Amino acid sequence: MASNNPISGNGAEKGTETLKRGLAQMLKGGVIMDVVTPEHARIAEEAGAVAVMALERVPADIRADGGVARMSDPALIQSIMDAVSIPVMAKCRIGHFVEAQILEAIGVDYIDESEVLTPADEQYHINKHDFNVPFVCGCRNLGEALRRIGEGAAMIRTKGEAGTGDVVEAVRHGRTVLGEIRRLQTMREDEMMTYAKEIGAPYALVKETAELGRMPVVNFAAGGIATPADAALMMQIGVDGVFVGSGIFKSGDPAHRAKAIVEATTHFNDPKIIAEVSRNLGEPMVGINVTSMDDAERIATRGW
Amino acid sequence: MANIGVLALQGAFIEHEKTLRSLGARAVEVRLPEQLAGLDALIIPGGESTTIGKLAVTFRLLEPLRDFAVHKPVWGTCAGMILLANDIGRDQPLIGVMDIKVDRNAFGRQVDSFETDLTVPELGAAPFHAVFIRAPLVTGVGEHAHVLARLDDGGIVAVRQGHWLATAFHPELTPDDRFHRYFLREVAGLPVLG
């Protein structure tokens, strides 16, 4: 991509895996918040968000409104980029590589190829190696995560069930992925090819995950986190950070709750601090109990 | 064994801890003021400087960090460099001990992030491969600050001022541990393995 910024010297490389994965490393231990206006973005930054996700509607409203959910208006995303100094992410539909091209052209810092929007391709995800901008993708298990990394994702988030305020699916997916990695570490090398076949993941990435004892990219939790305790729960389960979507701006006192979730994510192992920041936060988002939902209403099953 | 604190409010602190342990130091995560006690030196990692600064204010760490820095060696990488600078041209909580002027996100957005080889005479003849992610740039240095590395266009990206070190890039993301060795041995006067 062209740049008007200071030249960085001869031999400078851009868009490398190290740079794409490296930005996610800088977000670790932090909270990424969904915002729908520049004003929301400023509240998120003031609360200590490490990045914002620029959207037209939070997942709870996408659910309520129905219809086709698409990439947000570039003018809205640009206005949010202009409002804050922290990284700005934006979502494109699964498989919609032209929406991704548009997001790269306007200069967003990370693209979320997201099941929260209506999928544009039911067979293929985007070949994310084609882009200089990094991608984050959702997963429910290790196989799905490693397929996305194989396609070039530089960051993973467990899907949870977006727009519900119910943390149960985030826990399920977080525990599934981290449990699979623990089991993988007990395998002999000659068992790994069969395991790679069973979970539908590239063998080289299975082997690398076993050697590292973790996924080769940063792994956040998403989908249903609504309280400081939810965020700390996901951190103690072992994710690197959290996305909070509807949970902040669908609550009674977004600025206060946002700050409390940031503080609980940093001090996730300190129950006294989590107790302190959880006081008097006002009404949480009302939420939807995931176990009472029809399968057709579930977002996490989109993507493959 | 040297006790090196790594500010662990947010960001890439685990990467620094791994390198420190490989060099025979004990790495201690710092999230609250009392955790600074008994440390020989401190590293402030990359992350989001606004987030780290706000958390430092909320948990009453900013003054203790300043007091620590007056007496003990401190190294800031990327966001850590921003927090050590005394002038960043905007209103944001800072430790502010180093006499340097720093411009945040000086190269642009993530698509402008880059990797390049730097000449760093203090580390020897071999170039140091440096990773710049939404990186800051030093736009001015006071008389006591000493420039360690520049980009080809002259931009200042590594500075030492007495027992303080600041780098705009991320030595914690690459296998070359010479900057960590330099900080421990030359800046902090501490033992290093190997």
Side-chain angles (χ1 to χ4, degrees), chain A residues 138-202:
Chain A
C139 77
R140 287 161 296 166
N141 52 52
L142 183 61
E144 194 174 11
L146 297 182
R147 288 193 291 280
R148 297 294 85 77
I149 297 168
E151 294 157 356
M155 178 179 184
I156 291 292
R157 56 175 174 75
T158 48
K159 286 179 178 173
E161 192 57 43
T164 62
D166 187 344
V167 80
V168 66
E169 293 299 300
V171 169
R172 188 192 317 281
H173 300 154
R175 280 197 179 273
T176 299
V177 169
L178 294 160
E180 285 171 319
I181 293 171
R182 281 187 288 272
R183 280 195 293 282
L184 175 56
Q185 285 178 273
T186 67
M187 287 179 201
R188 286 163 43 122
E189 198 174 329
D190 53 12
E191 296 169 331
M192 289 182 191
M193 181 61 86
T194 299
Y195 185 66
K197 180 190 166 206
E198 282 167 6
I199 66 169

Side-chain angles (χ1 to χ4, degrees), chain A residues 280-297:
Chain A
N280 301 316
L281 291 183
E283 284 296 307
M285 72 177 283
V286 176
I288 306 168
N289 184 332
V290 173
T291 49
S292 67
M293 287 169 76
D294 290 339
D295 283 352
E297 294 174 65

Side-chain angles (χ1 to χ4, degrees), chain A residues 3 5-14 16 18-19 22-23 25-30 45-46 48-50 81 85-88 107 109 133-134 259 262-263 266-267 270 273, chain B residues 8-12 14-15 31-32 46-48 50-51 54-55 58-59 90 104-116 129 131-134 151-153 170 172-173:
Chain A
S3 167
N5 294 300
I7 37 165
S8 38
N10 297 327
E13 295 175 274
K14 295 186 179 182
T16 64
T18 299
L19 294 166
L23 177 56
Q25 287 173 272
M26 298 308 139
L27 302 177
K28 285 191 300 180
E45 183 176 46
E46 188 54 39
V50 288
M81 289 164 60
S85 66
I86 55 178
V88 176
D109 297 295
V133 63
K259 186 164 180 284
V262 168
E263 290 164 4
T266 289
H267 295 284
D270 193 329
I273 291 179
Chain B
L9 294 171
Q10 187 274 319
I14 292 165
E15 289 80 347
R31 293 184 176 83
L32 294 169
E48 276 307 309
T50 53
T51 303
K54 284 169 201 300
L55 286 164
T58 302
F59 293 97
R90 50 178 282 144
R104 271 187 71 202
N105 301 333
F107 301 91
R109 306 197 69 96
Q110 171 62 12
V111 288
D112 304 300
S113 292
F114 61 96
E115 299 181 45
T116 194
H129 189 72
V131 176
F132 293 80
I133 298 175
R134 288 174 48 95
L151 296 171
D152 289 353
D153 66 1
H170 295 283
E172 72 276 22
L173 294 189

Side-chain angles (χ1 to χ4, degrees), chain B residues 65-146:
Chain B
L65 285 170
R66 272 184 209 125
D67 292 343
F68 183 90
V70 169
H71 303 289
K72 300 283 177 66
V74 181
W75 173 21
T77 59
C78 194
M81 168 190 258
I82 294 166
L83 286 156
L84 287 175
N86 64 8
D87 181 1
I88 65 161
R90 50 178 282 144
D91 185 24
Q92 192 178 311
L94 300 173
I95 297 166
V97 289
M98 285 184 79
D99 192 11
I100 53 175
K101 193 166 190 281
V102 170
D103 187 10
R104 271 187 71 202
N105 301 333
F107 301 91
R109 306 197 69 96
Q110 171 62 12
V111 288
D112 304 300
S113 292
F114 61 96
E115 299 181 45
T116 194
D117 285 340
L118 296 175
T119 302
V120 190
E122 297 274 356
L123 301 185
F128 189 88
H129 189 72
V131 176
F132 293 80
I133 298 175
R134 288 174 48 95
L137 182 68
V138 180
T139 55
V141 292
E143 57 176 322
H144 300 296
H146 169 58

